Amino acid sequence: MPRKKSIDTPSSDKKTKPQKSGRKQAVTIHDVASRAGVGSMTVSRVVNGSSSVSPEMRERVEKVIRELNYVPNLAARAARSGQQRIGIIFSNPKSSNLGEFLMGAFAASRKKGCQLLIEPLLAHPQPIDALKKLIDLGAEGVILPPPICDSLEAQQLAAQKDVLPLSFASGSPRLHSPAVLIDDFSGARAMTHHLISLGHKKIAFVKGDPSHSPAENRVQGFLAAMAEGGLDVPKRWMPEGDFSYRCGLEVGKKLLEAPASKRPTAIFACNDEMATGLIAVAHGLGLKVPEDISIAGFDDTALASAVWPQLTTIHQPLAEMAETAVIMLADILASGPSSSKHDGVVRHYVAPYKLIKRGSTGPIGK
């Protein structure tokens, strides 16, 4: 005798039972619409934050979304828009140069009509997770800053997913993928020669975060110039740093609390934030800048002209570099099908740096 088929009658209070066999199916927008008793377009308006949905209807749909654990397919939604999608990872939300970088990126986005997807590294347990998030969101190209731009794992993941990576401000850009950078070695060398030209022979250098490849290039540029000037650098005058203002304060105390005969006459910090920390310590110790101690930085962020005296530094045109990076990716992505993204052609843009002389450096003893 044939078995009776059981028929479930619809009920607003009855929860859907999970399937016991087979692979679990992803919840779709149509599932949400069916459970809420509305059309799929209404669910779409709720997900997109449209104001055309009444508060009561919005609450009803959102309740079902929570019950079903519905996750919108953002990548598919972006694809339907027809816009190129370029992901940007940023490493430090407190960095004084982030605003300038984003201004350049947004300017390029307007010019090229592409969509930017912004993702912070600090929102993820591992840097690679930020890249995975951008890939899930449908990014076709990604701008990778240090240190993730130097990660072989990140480069391989991007290649596997047919996503075009661009190394931004890397000290060792990959030959097989695009990059936008400056010559950190030459910039640091130029700054050190400037300090030597002012008569300084006792010059200290505060290193940057060792996980960032540009930091090592700046170290080497400093050492090259010192060697060219026939000058030695005691190990204690090359302390480790991490690019932060707090680090500048900590290192500054160790360098500047020493007796005058045992302290440097000039300090070159690997970035502006550490340099401004050094200036603060000098002021606190009653030292005049630059009469008693000359201090220089690197990057020319907004901080450089906000401190007193204003900071001598190496200008890195971040807004121009970010704009170039977005345009470069957009142009490559628009040049043909995905198979042409990784064509082996080297596209590296080296932005010009500039030595900016301000009041924080001066001739020795004056």
Side-chain angles (χ1 to χ4, degrees), residues 70-82:
Y70 169 63
V71 179
N73 189 334
L74 299 178
R77 186 196 309 170
R80 288 193 296 271
S81 72

Side-chain angles (χ1 to χ4, degrees), residues 13-203:
D13 298 326
K14 188 174 181 179
K15 294 187 177 180
T16 303
K17 293 181 181 180
Q19 297 292 328
K20 292 183 180 180
S21 61
R23 191 170 55 185
K24 185 177 179 181
Q25 298 295 315
V27 177
T28 69
I29 193 171
H30 305 295
D31 296 328
V32 176
S34 177
R35 171 70 71 87
V38 299
S40 299
M41 187 59 70
T42 300
V43 178
S44 178
R45 292 191 183 104
V46 171
V47 170
N48 288 299
S50 172
S51 59
S52 64
V53 182
S54 68
E56 296 79 9
M57 183 66 72
R58 180 180 303 281
E59 183 179 352
R60 177 173 157 191
V61 172
E62 288 177 345
K63 180 182 178 183
V64 174
I65 287 174
R66 290 192 297 270
E67 289 175 352
L68 297 182
N69 292 319
Y70 169 63
V71 179
N73 189 334
L74 299 178
R77 186 196 309 170
R80 288 193 296 271
S81 72
Q83 290 181 305
Q84 290 176 335
R85 298 170 306 284
I86 294 176
I88 296 177
I89 293 176
F90 65 90
S91 55
N92 182 7
K94 296 181 180 179
S95 174
S96 57
N97 57 23
L98 177 59
E100 188 177 356
F101 173 88
L102 290 177
M103 282 174 56
F106 291 146
S109 173
R110 287 193 297 271
K111 288 180 182 178
K112 305 302 291 187
C114 59
Q115 180 183 1
L116 298 184
L117 309 171
I118 314 295
E119 191 65 27
L121 274 181
L122 294 182
H124 302 275
Q126 299 295 329
I128 195 69
D129 295 328
L131 177 56
K132 291 177 181 176
K133 175 69 176 295
L134 288 174
I135 292 173
D136 289 343
L137 290 173
E140 300 166 90
V142 287
I143 297 175
L144 306 176
I148 192 172
C149 61
D150 301 315
S151 165
L152 181 59
E153 182 186 8
Q155 296 282 336
Q156 290 175 335
L157 175 63
Q160 290 168 5
K161 300 296 184 179
D162 199 28
V163 171
L164 182 62
L166 181 145
S167 297
F168 188 88
S170 171
S172 53
R174 306 281 174 174
L175 293 178
H176 61 273
S177 61
V180 174
L181 63 152
I182 67 165
D183 188 341
D184 294 280
F185 176 92
S186 296
R189 181 170 172 265
M191 177 60 78
T192 308
H193 276 307
H194 170 62
L195 295 173
I196 294 173
S197 73
L198 294 173
H200 295 283
K201 297 181 179 180
K202 299 163 64 177
I203 306 173

Side-chain angles (χ1 to χ4, degrees), residues 189-254:
R189 181 170 172 265
M191 177 60 78
T192 308
H193 276 307
H194 170 62
L195 295 173
I196 294 173
S197 73
L198 294 173
H200 295 283
K201 297 181 179 180
K202 299 163 64 177
I203 306 173
F205 184 86
V206 183
K207 298 179 182 179
D209 186 337
S211 69
H212 290 225
S213 54
E216 180 58 27
N217 287 354
R218 295 176 189 183
V219 171
Q220 295 305 317
F222 166 74
L223 291 174
M226 293 294 282
E228 290 162 358
L231 302 175
D232 294 325
V233 189
K235 186 176 180 180
R236 68 180 184 279
W237 285 359
M238 292 192 66
E240 300 291 337
D242 63 5
F243 288 138
S244 71
Y245 178 83
R246 180 178 293 277
C247 174
L249 296 177
E250 294 171 353
V251 168
K253 290 179 181 179
K254 295 177 182 178

